[in-house]
Amino acid sequence: MARKTLTVGWLYPDLMNIYGDRGNILTLLKRAEWRDFDARLIELGRGTTEGIDDVDVFFFGGGQDREQALVYEDLLETKQTALERAVASGASVLAVCGGYQLLGQYYQTGEGERFPGIGLIDVRTEAGKQRFIGDVVVDTDLPDIQPQTLVGFENHSGRTYLGPKAKPLGRVRMGFGNNGEDHTEGCIQGGILGTYLHGSLLPKNPHLADHLVTSALARRGITELAPLDDAAEIAAHEKILARAQRR
Ligand code: GLN
């Protein structure tokens, strides 16, 4: 039987990759290899879409305003059409913080500079004066994952507000989340998942990694992933939950 493949597309790895976001790529690739998949990485920096149609799961990491200013034009001019096509064909997207913001309508910096996004998700973001920094615990609304919590670390000035087409990824139990006002964190829209959770996110939330992969592979008839021993990952997850409860 032909070996199964999983292709991960990493958007702007040289510029949009802060607070350990690279750990998300390692988690997606390793968990596929542990399940005997051929795990492939395609780096999608500025100026290229080579291999983008083969991607099952896209990752778009965080970046400071400076890095976002360096990538938003390429996102609009080079990546947008191919990304829309990939998502329409069932690929999954995980976008964290700066990447999350640029998949929306726009990101406006604290100085009032507005970077147009590609509008893949119905969100808009405007930076506030106070940076939101610290551990985050989220009770998620995702139906098919256990545990129903997500943990991570946030560091952003952007306040993100969801429009009617986007649903929250969950509710903050601890931390600021999307905007520090409506108690939501992240967003889900079709196969796209946006979040403020750095940390990196997936090593401490293996259930979310599997959700992204399962969603993407459904189009190829792969609906079940072999179970893995996630004892260490879940122990790390529960340590942050316990720390939150002591606050
Ligand atoms: N520059 C954006 C903000 O401050 C994104 C930061 C990030 O990716 N951590 O909100």
Side-chain angles (χ1 to χ4, degrees):
M1 188 170 84
R3 273 168 65 89
K4 302 160 291 193
T5 61
L6 179 80
T7 303
V8 176
W10 192 359
L11 290 161
Y12 311 107
D14 54 335
L15 289 166
M16 298 297 283
N17 170 24
I18 54 176
Y19 308 136
D21 286 344
R22 168 187 300 273
N24 297 308
I25 295 291
L26 299 178
T27 301
L28 290 166
L29 295 176
K30 269 289 161 213
R31 292 180 71 80
E33 285 168 15
W34 291 337
R35 289 172 163 133
D36 206 26
F37 278 70
D38 272 338
R40 299 174 187 162
L41 176 64
I42 293 178
E43 296 196 355
L44 294 161
R46 286 180 292 181
T48 180
T49 54
E50 192 177 338
I52 200 166
D53 289 335
D54 300 334
V55 173
D56 297 304
V57 181
F58 288 90
F59 177 65
F60 192 179
Q64 299 306 0
D65 295 6
R66 179 189 166 280
E67 285 76 22
Q68 289 173 288
L70 293 173
V71 304
Y72 82 89
E73 283 177 340
D74 181 83
L75 191 60
L76 285 164
E77 291 160 18
T78 310
K79 305 283 194 290
Q80 175 163 359
T81 307
L83 269 176
E84 286 168 348
R85 186 171 62 235
V87 168
S89 74
S92 296
V93 181
L94 171 64
V96 175
C97 205
Y100 169 30
Q101 295 167 346
L102 291 177
L103 291 189
Q105 311 302 336
Y106 65 85
Y107 167 62
Q108 183 169 298
T109 70
E111 291 68 43
E113 190 178 8
R114 184 172 287 198
F115 306 148
I118 56 173
L120 264 186
I121 47 178
D122 184 15
V123 304
R124 55 184 171 77
T125 303
E126 299 187 12
K129 295 250 180 300
Q130 177 200 357
R131 278 196 84 80
F132 291 159
I133 299 174
D135 285 333
V136 186
V137 171
V138 175
D139 291 296
T140 182
D141 305 335
L142 281 172
D144 57 350
I145 71 170
Q146 280 302 331
Q148 286 267 292
T149 47
L150 300 171
V151 299
F153 176 88
E154 63 185 331
N155 183 332
H156 56 105
S157 58
R159 274 81 170 136
T160 295
Y161 297 89
L162 274 56
K165 294 194 199 103
K167 296 281 170 278
L169 175 58
R171 304 245 170 299
V172 282
R173 191 190 295 184
M174 178 179 78
F176 297 95
N178 279 324
N179 49 53
E181 292 165 28
D182 63 13
H183 307 293
T184 65
E185 202 295 316
C187 97
I188 306 167
Q189 190 169 333
I192 304 167
L193 197 153
T195 179
Y196 275 108
L197 299 186
H198 290 285
S200 47
L201 173 64
L202 295 182
K204 293 188 285 289
N205 299 280
H207 45 311
L208 187 64
D210 288 354
H211 168 81
L212 287 161
V213 172
T214 309
S215 306
L217 295 183
R219 61 185 172 170
R220 288 205 253 128
I222 301 174
T223 52
E224 287 283 314
L225 292 175
L228 294 173
D229 174 3
D230 287 335
E233 293 85 347
I234 293 300
H237 184 100
E238 286 171 351
K239 197 162 174 64
I240 293 183
L241 289 184
R243 195 163 66 192
Q245 271 144 14
R246 288 198 296 273
R247 294 244 174 128

